[in-house]
Amino acid sequence: MTDRLVTLRSKQAPVYRRLLSELFDRPEVVETRATCDTCAMCDHGQIAPVAMDYFRPDSKCCTYHPGLPNYLVGAILADTSEDLAEGRRRLRKRIATRIGVTPQFLAPPRKYGVVYGAGQGAGFFGRAKTMLCPYFDEENDGRCTVWLYRESVCSTYFCKYTAGKPGWAFWDTLKGYLSHVERTLSRWSMLTVDGKVTEPKVPRRTLTLEDIEDLPPRDEEYASYWGGGTWVGREEEFYIECYKRVNELPKEEFDKHVDDSPDGRGLLASLEAKYDDIKNAKVPDVVIRTTNLRKREAGENVVVTSYNPYDAFSLEKELFDVLGMLRADQTLEENLARLDKEHDVQLAPELIHYLFVHGVISAPEKKKKEAAPAAAAAPAKPTTAEAAVEAMGVDAGAVGKAKPPRAARRKPAKT
Ligand code: SF4
Ligand code: SF4
């Protein structure tokens, strides 16, 4: 009996599965290092070479309040399964507050958004209980009560990536595509259900008096979003209607509104390229040790963090110093020949590739625009190259040693 292929499509919320393009028939991308049940970012007594700042086990990475598009809210409310019973109860509780409750989204309170933005430098992610998601079930080992229909950020988030930076880039691009899907379908569905509903006009990062006081909008204001009051008290019904419209949307219409729009075409092309990069990431002709690495000394080793603040590597200090000898005015081939000739150091191709995909070496660009994902880390199951440089979570999580086998980087001693 052959194993059934698990595809990207089968990992998406059921409402999307018949709508998504052929690209989603490719095999799923499995992230084995984000060991959620035994959270890789939490303290399990693992040995760490440097001081650790773990995530709270009673929050993990769910210090985030998702903005659920209307049709996903409706999907959960229309679902009668026991698995989602607690999720439904929590959604109803959120809807009853009228805070962030609009025809297009069941959104975080605006005050939450402002704190989230302003607190980025404070290290709250994974650590601030006040930022905990309302759908996180503390009583049940941190179960997500809306898992099947979690939105684009939650469904693409991992604290560590098996394929390193190309893996992160793939998930980040998928998040962008799914956000586009959410924005487009939620707007389309709300206006299809009732052309008179609107979204609040409050500018981003701006708070009203009611926001500051953790109060709902004034009645008149709230009614103005909901078609002049038509749907006030019937918000659940509205969300379920939105879900039904999306659930019945013909594939051609989805293509027209979503995939064949200028944004959709670009995002899908980028998604395909990022998917391919996971397997085919090519080391550039010129690489140097990444200049903005966060570095911490740990005895004979150096713990470095590159593109992902929650995924660090412990390298032998000697290797770290050798990488510092890579010159931007030489190709990788020339650099390797020089290191061999002048320092009797050999760096194996698989080690170079591993260091590259994990961001320890990179092309010598002056400015990099890629933002680090917010998340945690777990020790990678070593592959051949990973045996040379072991991954670990340093800002939180498990820690391992990153030690290149000497044979991988030095010529055998002459006899
Ligand atoms: S921090 Fe990482 S391992 Fe922990 S729950 Fe989140 S994604 Fe999973
Ligand atoms: S919706 Fe689920 S996965 Fe997302 S933050 Fe909340 S509990 Fe975590």
Side-chain angles (χ1 to χ4, degrees):
M1 198 167 96
T2 53
D3 288 342
R4 212 171 123 249
L5 178 70
V6 180
T7 60
L8 294 173
R9 184 185 307 282
S10 63
K11 302 303 279 187
Q12 306 307 314
V15 67
Y16 294 139
R17 291 183 195 158
R18 72 185 173 84
L19 296 171
L20 297 169
S21 78
E22 286 175 2
L23 175 58
F24 285 81
D25 290 326
R26 295 185 181 198
E28 66 167 334
V29 175
V30 182
E31 296 295 351
T32 53
R33 299 177 62 217
T35 51
C36 303
D37 287 342
T38 311
C39 177
M41 287 299 290
C42 293
D43 184 2
H44 306 290
Q46 57 272 51
I47 296 165
V50 288
M52 309 290 279
D53 193 5
Y54 296 105
F55 279 8
R56 295 176 62 122
D58 54 358
S59 71
K60 302 196 269 189
C61 56
C62 293
T63 48
Y64 167 75
H65 190 317
L68 289 167
N70 50 22
Y71 59 91
L72 289 185
V73 178
I76 298 164
L77 293 171
D79 191 309
T80 54
S81 71
E82 193 47 37
D83 261 8
L84 285 164
E86 179 61 15
R88 285 192 294 278
R89 189 188 69 76
R90 290 175 185 235
L91 286 184
R92 289 188 174 117
K93 193 173 158 199
R94 278 286 295 112
I95 292 169
T97 68
R98 292 188 174 183
I99 299 174
V101 181
T102 74
Q104 197 172 357
F105 290 101
L106 183 52
R110 275 193 290 267
K111 192 157 104 178
Y112 183 99
V114 170
V115 174
Y116 199 98
Q120 287 296 311
F124 79 82
F125 192 76
R127 298 165 187 127
K129 201 64 188 299
T130 50
M131 301 301 276
L132 190 63
C133 172
Y135 312 119
F136 180 91
D137 189 353
E138 275 186 80
E139 309 299 312
N140 284 295
D141 293 330
R143 185 180 76 98
C144 170
T145 56
V146 296
W147 182 256
L148 191 58
Y149 297 99
R150 67 202 189 286
E151 44 79 288
S152 53
V153 174
C154 295
S155 66
T156 57
Y157 177 76
F158 297 94
C159 56
K160 293 173 186 293
Y161 305 91
T162 303
K165 199 171 175 182
W168 164 70
F170 165 76
W171 289 110
D172 194 52
T173 309
L174 179 57
K175 178 177 70 181
Y177 170 74
L178 291 175
S179 299
H180 163 67
V181 173
E182 287 173 351
R183 283 192 307 274
T184 310
L185 291 184
S186 58
R187 181 157 178 77
W188 170 83
S189 63
M190 84 174 193
L191 294 175
T192 307
V193 172
D194 186 341
K196 293 198 182 71
V197 297
T198 56
E199 282 293 284
K201 300 280 185 298
V202 182
R204 243 171 104 75
R205 305 273 181 253
T206 302
L207 299 178
T208 63
L209 175 61
E210 289 76 24
D211 291 331
I212 293 167
E213 293 277 69
D214 298 323
L215 293 170
R218 285 171 291 108
D219 286 352
E220 194 183 316
E221 169 80 11
Y222 186 73
S224 74
Y225 315 150
W226 291 97
T230 311
W231 296 94
V232 174
R234 297 169 56 215
E235 296 88 344
E236 273 190 41
E237 195 186 322
F238 182 86
Y239 289 138
I240 291 172
E241 274 305 313
C242 290
Y243 164 63
K244 284 183 184 163
R245 304 297 166 112
V246 173
N247 208 30
E248 288 159 9
L249 180 67
K251 166 92 171 91
E252 312 80 67
E253 287 293 302
F254 174 83
D255 291 348
K256 186 172 100 185
H257 294 296
V258 180
D259 283 357
D260 290 340
S261 68
D263 282 355
R265 277 196 296 272
L267 284 161
L268 274 177
S270 179
L271 186 61
E272 183 168 10
K274 301 293 181 196
Y275 185 94
D276 290 341
D277 276 355
I278 289 178
K279 283 230 164 68
N280 307 323
K282 193 172 167 302
V283 180
D285 289 341
V286 179
V287 287
I288 57 169
R289 190 175 69 195
T290 302
T291 49
N292 57 353
L293 291 175
R294 183 182 178 207
K295 173 188 153 199
R296 283 184 279 175
E297 303 277 345
E300 296 289 301
N301 294 332
V302 176
V303 174
V304 296
T305 313
S306 56
Y307 71 99
N308 180 353
Y310 303 108
D311 198 4
F313 297 86
S314 176
L315 310 176
E316 268 189 354
K317 192 164 184 316
E318 198 184 348
L319 173 61
F320 183 79
D321 292 340
V322 165
L323 297 176
M325 292 183 210
L326 293 170
R327 283 170 33 185
D329 61 347
Q330 293 190 333
T331 64
L332 175 60
E333 203 177 333
E334 289 165 345
N335 267 307
L336 293 180
R338 177 175 53 79
L339 289 174
D340 188 0
K341 188 169 169 213
E342 296 177 10
H343 302 280
D344 192 24
V345 170
Q346 297 77 44
L347 299 174
E350 68 267 27
L351 176 60
I352 289 285
H353 188 266
Y354 186 80
L355 291 167
F356 170 67
V357 297
H358 287 281
V360 182
I361 58 174
S362 52
E365 292 167 305
K366 286 249 167 17
K367 282 193 179 167
K368 302 202 170 193
K369 287 190 173 168
E370 290 178 34
K381 197 171 177 190
T383 61
T384 309
E386 285 166 348
V389 181
E390 227 175 286
M392 62 187 201
V394 161
D395 282 322
V399 173
K401 268 202 257 167
K403 186 167 122 180
R406 300 194 76 78
R409 58 191 182 85
R410 284 203 184 277
K411 276 182 187 164
K414 285 186 184 131
T415 53

